[in-house]
Amino acid sequence: MGIVLAVFLIAGVAAAVALGRDSRAGGGSGTAAKTVRGVIGSEKAEFFADPDTVKALAAKGFTVRTETSGSWAMDRLPLKGYDFAFPGSKAPADELSRSAEARGAPLRPFYSPLVVVAHRNAAEVLAANGLARLRAADGSGGKWATQGTLLMSPYLAAAEDDRTWQQLKGASGHAELSGTVFITSTDPVTSNSGALYLAAASYVADGGRVATDARAVERTAPLMRKLVQVQGAQQTSSDAPFRDFISGVGNPLVLVYESQVASLLMSSQRQEVGDLVVLYPDTTVSSDHTLVPLTDHGRELGELLSTDPVLRKLAVRHGFRPQGAAAEFTAATAGHTAYIDQRLTGVRQAPVPTAELLRSMARQARG
């Protein structure tokens, strides 16, 4: 009898150990088995911090720890010990893939076009002077607009001439519109949105040609300097300028990601957007958020973000457009078409120069 009891006791201990291992591997308790560490662009911080995202990742066996960095500054970070890097576009991701010995090709789970948010008075003055076209909001009876198109060629011509708000007809009655007309953007040397702004602007300024060599960069360098240096000190992330704009302070024209606007509109704790008008540049660059896998776990995460239905739905909730699935974004933003152009009507995508040329363009623009 004693021998039998001993055998049962040993078997029970072995089973408990096995169950414990299974629990730690995510089998039954939902506890994540893999903790992965990554550096991301700040525009994705809220997505990864969302409790629903954390829960969805844990259900797949992942705990994700993230730190934020400017997309174009990631290559200067000591990436040893990281599982992935997640900049805001393909160019810095390609550069990271070469320098950091990536585990396979980068993955692009979702993207977001660049837009300019404007206060209504500023948007109406731009439209009255041929720098923008506005669309009346549904149900407004044509009285006011919440969406429109920024006409890049006329806007860049105004920037070239150093035009001020006071020189534009219709601006005299708005004390908040003063000084040089410019769009607030982020630091192009370190930030993705600022660099892509220069990519689109240089493409338009050079007659619809993407910069392919140093001479092409030089041709548009004086205008790029004007676009950047008129702003003074620049942020390294679009988050702060966007929050300032929504709070009613700062410049009346700010370059942001469409995802930031869409996320604000779809938020369950939505704050008032005031006199927000969303201007889609007629020539822009979409920000392809591109994950560079530095380990096998990092690659698994990238594949999950690209294919898992729950995670894709959560990405949409944070304003991102999933790759290859327009219907998901269209359905989620159906109630916000007054602000969001779901089909990107009339928006032309500008090619992006190589990372080396875009860095050169940014450095010259900064002076």
Side-chain angles (χ1 to χ4, degrees):
M1 181 67 69
I3 294 173
V4 171
L5 289 174
V7 169
F8 277 115
L9 179 61
I10 292 170
V13 171
V17 170
L19 285 171
R21 286 174 180 168
D22 182 61
S23 174
R24 288 192 297 274
S29 72
T31 302
K34 307 164 192 170
T35 297
V36 297
R37 183 181 174 209
V39 57
I40 63 172
S42 61
E43 70 284 340
K44 294 180 282 291
E46 290 188 1
F47 166 70
F48 279 105
D50 186 331
D52 289 336
T53 302
V54 173
K55 181 179 178 181
L57 287 168
K60 296 295 182 178
F62 281 90
T63 294
V64 179
R65 309 293 185 201
T66 61
E67 302 166 31
T68 60
S69 166
S71 293
W72 288 89
M74 289 183 186
D75 68 323
R76 297 194 290 274
L77 296 175
L79 292 176
K80 186 175 181 181
Y82 287 86
D83 295 283
F84 68 96
F86 205 171
S89 65
K90 183 176 181 296
D94 287 344
E95 196 169 65
L96 281 165
S97 292
R98 290 189 293 270
S99 63
E101 299 181 0
R103 296 294 180 93
L107 303 103
R108 291 182 286 170
F110 41 74
Y111 70 99
S112 181
L114 292 171
V115 299
V116 174
V117 290
H119 292 299
R120 190 179 306 153
N121 289 340
E124 289 174 348
V125 170
L126 292 180
N129 289 270
L131 306 183
R133 286 194 302 265
L134 300 182
R135 181 173 72 82
D138 296 338
S140 71
K143 296 178 183 178
W144 47 274
T146 51
Q147 187 192 126
T149 303
L150 178 71
L151 305 178
M152 285 293 284
S153 288
Y155 168 72
L156 292 176
E160 182 75 46
D161 294 339
D162 300 314
R163 294 181 74 180
T164 64
W165 287 104
Q166 292 89 332
Q167 292 172 320
L168 301 182
K169 63 181 180 182
S172 58
H174 306 292
E176 71 278 10
L177 301 179
S178 62
T180 305
V181 178
F182 68 90
I183 295 170
T184 293
S185 61
T186 53
D187 182 353
V189 173
T190 60
S191 171
N192 181 65
S193 59
L196 295 185
Y197 176 45
L198 294 187
S202 65
Y203 177 79
V204 174
D206 206 20
R209 291 179 292 181
V210 62
T212 56
D213 54 34
R215 286 183 298 175
V217 173
E218 290 290 343
R219 280 197 299 271
T220 61
L223 177 55
M224 299 303 104
R225 276 194 288 272
K226 283 192 174 187
L227 295 178
V228 169
Q229 294 182 10
V230 69
Q231 301 180 46
Q234 292 178 290
Q235 300 276 357
T236 58
S237 162
S238 60
D239 184 59
F242 181 60
R243 291 184 184 278
D244 286 346
F245 176 90
I246 294 299
S247 299
V249 299
N251 193 42
L253 303 173
V254 181
L255 184 81
V256 300
Y257 295 104
E258 179 197 59
S259 59
Q260 292 171 285
V261 178
S263 177
L264 177 68
L265 294 171
M266 291 188 287
S267 172
S268 60
Q269 298 178 338
R270 177 184 168 184
Q271 65 186 96
E272 290 299 318
V273 297
D275 61 351
L276 169 71
V277 178
V278 183
L279 299 176
Y280 286 80
D282 60 5
T283 302
T284 189
V285 175
S286 283
S287 180
D288 288 321
H289 297 279
T290 306
L291 186 146
V292 179
L294 304 175
T295 66
D296 290 338
H297 286 347
R299 168 156 289 282
E300 289 178 51
L301 174 65
E303 291 169 350
L304 267 180
L305 293 175
S306 300
T307 61
D308 183 74
V310 175
L311 290 167
R312 287 169 67 89
K313 184 177 180 180
L314 288 167
V316 169
R317 191 168 81 183
H318 284 272
F320 299 109
R321 295 176 180 246
Q323 293 284 359
E328 295 176 61
F329 183 82
T330 300
T333 57
H336 307 290
T337 54
Y339 297 95
I340 302 298
D341 183 351
Q342 295 176 317
R343 297 183 178 181
L344 300 178
T345 309
V347 175
R348 181 183 186 185
Q349 287 292 320
V352 178
T354 64
E356 181 183 358
L357 288 174
L358 198 49
R359 281 187 184 279
S360 174
M361 190 180 294
R363 287 193 296 266
Q364 293 192 47
R366 281 279 304 272

